[in-house]
Amino acid sequence: MIVTFGSINADLIFDVETLPTAGQTLMAKSLHTEPGGKGANQALAAALGGAEVHMVGAVGKDGLADIALQGLRRAVDVSLVARLEAPTGCASIHRDQDGRNEIVVAGGANLAVSSDLVDDAPLDRASVVLLQMENDPRETARLIRRCHERRTLSILNLAPAYRLDAEVLSLCGLVVVNEDEAEAMAGWLGCGKTAAALAEATGTGVLRTLGGDGAELAWRGEHVSVPAVPCKVQDTTAAGDCFVGTFAAALDRGLPLADAMHRAAVAASLTCARKGSQESMPTAADVDAHASLVSG
């Protein structure tokens, strides 16, 4: 079972010809709303990957709350999602015709939620606890410490990049970063930006995603690299979240690290080939079919 403590957002997605520059006003080709948030995205990806997933987080009591929760309700237990007086988290996403995007997030209720919503019983039962950095960093750090004390595997996606104490990072089971986040970590820690260098500096596992160059992992005495799976890119918005959630689901199933990395790479490529955030994420059956084609 996987517990995800993280953000739950309503995404406002603007399709544009090109991404705006400073001071520029553009007319969007279209606008649509979709559930999002890194926590919710990763929770749904893990559930679609075959895991039992419990989401812990918060939304407001406003009209955006139902939008934010509609994707999770398909496959994730949301009984621990609180309704707060703060507004529901919201993201404004500009997506150009080449699938590139820029995102601005207003945290809202995500910044007010307490990690106390995660009881000890789910922590003891969980194989993985997924966390990101779109909640109050102090609450995220508290939950990392509790996971460490109870010997429950925590996977922290350090996104967006936020400088946590090195001691807190060392308590994580695994830290996941993209290239920009790895560079930020390397600057804080005074080390190289490879997965191996970051793992040595933190004393814990590190998984670094590299976009079109695949991903690398240094963890549990293993060094694993996987290439990106080629696809015609439509939208990269949720690719990183899909990778993390699928990887967590594979670990929950007990797959070897190399197999878990390969499944995550396949799932991320399928997500990139579709438009949208949560609606772009593949099922386990989709990944199975495509993984066999890739390996074959």
Side-chain angles (χ1 to χ4, degrees), residues 191-206:
C191 66
K193 60 185 180 181
T194 66
L198 293 169
E200 183 176 358
T202 58
T204 193
V206 173

Side-chain angles (χ1 to χ4, degrees), residues 87-291:
T88 299
C90 185
S92 173
I93 301 171
H94 301 154
R95 180 175 63 198
D96 73 9
Q97 58 189 355
D98 295 319
R100 298 174 301 178
N101 63 72
E102 57 183 21
I103 304 172
V104 178
V105 178
N110 296 312
L111 298 178
V113 68
S114 170
S115 60
D116 289 340
L117 285 174
V118 186
D119 293 330
D120 288 342
L123 285 188
D124 290 338
R125 182 173 166 236
S127 63
V128 177
V129 174
L130 277 178
L131 310 100
Q132 312 78 33
M133 296 305 301
E134 289 184 337
N135 300 97
D136 184 336
R138 294 168 298 183
E139 295 300 320
T140 301
R142 283 182 63 206
L143 189 52
I144 289 169
R145 293 182 187 280
R146 288 177 60 202
C147 289
H148 181 73
E149 290 167 358
R150 306 185 84 82
R151 298 184 179 180
T152 302
L153 173 64
S154 62
I155 297 180
L156 172 67
N157 182 202
L158 195 69
Y162 180 91
R163 186 169 185 170
L164 287 178
D165 289 344
E167 182 257 347
V168 174
L169 291 175
S170 73
L171 299 180
C172 296
L174 178 69
V175 179
V176 182
V177 287
N178 64 17
E179 292 174 278
D180 291 339
E181 294 146 9
E183 189 167 349
M185 270 188 76
W188 307 331
L189 298 170
C191 66
K193 60 185 180 181
T194 66
L198 293 169
E200 183 176 358
T202 58
T204 193
V206 173
L207 193 166
R208 184 172 72 137
T209 60
L210 302 168
D213 292 324
E216 61 172 2
L217 173 72
W219 192 28
R220 296 174 173 172
E222 294 189 46
H223 294 267
V224 180
S225 295
V226 294
V229 177
C231 69
K232 183 177 180 180
V233 175
Q234 295 292 318
D235 186 355
T236 61
T237 301
D241 292 334
C242 182
F243 189 105
V244 175
T246 304
F247 180 78
L251 293 185
D252 182 66
R253 289 170 54 186
L255 294 184
L257 293 181
D259 292 345
M261 291 277 283
H262 177 62
R263 288 188 66 81
V266 170
S269 75
L270 292 173
T271 297
C272 286
R274 305 168 179 173
K275 288 188 176 182
S277 298
Q278 292 181 16
E279 67 184 19
S280 70
M281 293 183 176
T283 64
D286 294 333
V287 176
D288 289 340
H290 202 73

Side-chain angles (χ1 to χ4, degrees), residues 11-32:
D11 288 351
L12 309 180
I13 304 173
F14 298 81
D15 283 308
V16 294
E17 293 285 349
T18 60
L19 298 178
T21 58
Q24 183 181 25
T25 299
L26 297 178
M27 295 297 292
K29 295 187 294 182
S30 64
L31 164 67
H32 72 278

Side-chain angles (χ1 to χ4, degrees), residues 63-102:
L64 292 177
D66 285 339
I67 295 173
L69 290 171
Q70 67 184 16
L72 289 173
R73 285 173 172 154
R74 289 189 289 151
V76 175
D77 186 317
V78 295
S79 60
L80 293 177
V81 174
R83 293 267 187 164
L84 305 181
E85 294 298 333
T88 299
C90 185
S92 173
I93 301 171
H94 301 154
R95 180 175 63 198
D96 73 9
Q97 58 189 355
D98 295 319
R100 298 174 301 178
N101 63 72
E102 57 183 21

Side-chain angles (χ1 to χ4, degrees), residues 34-52:
E34 189 177 335
K38 297 193 73 63
N41 290 349
Q42 292 177 19
L44 182 60
L48 293 175
E52 175 191 346

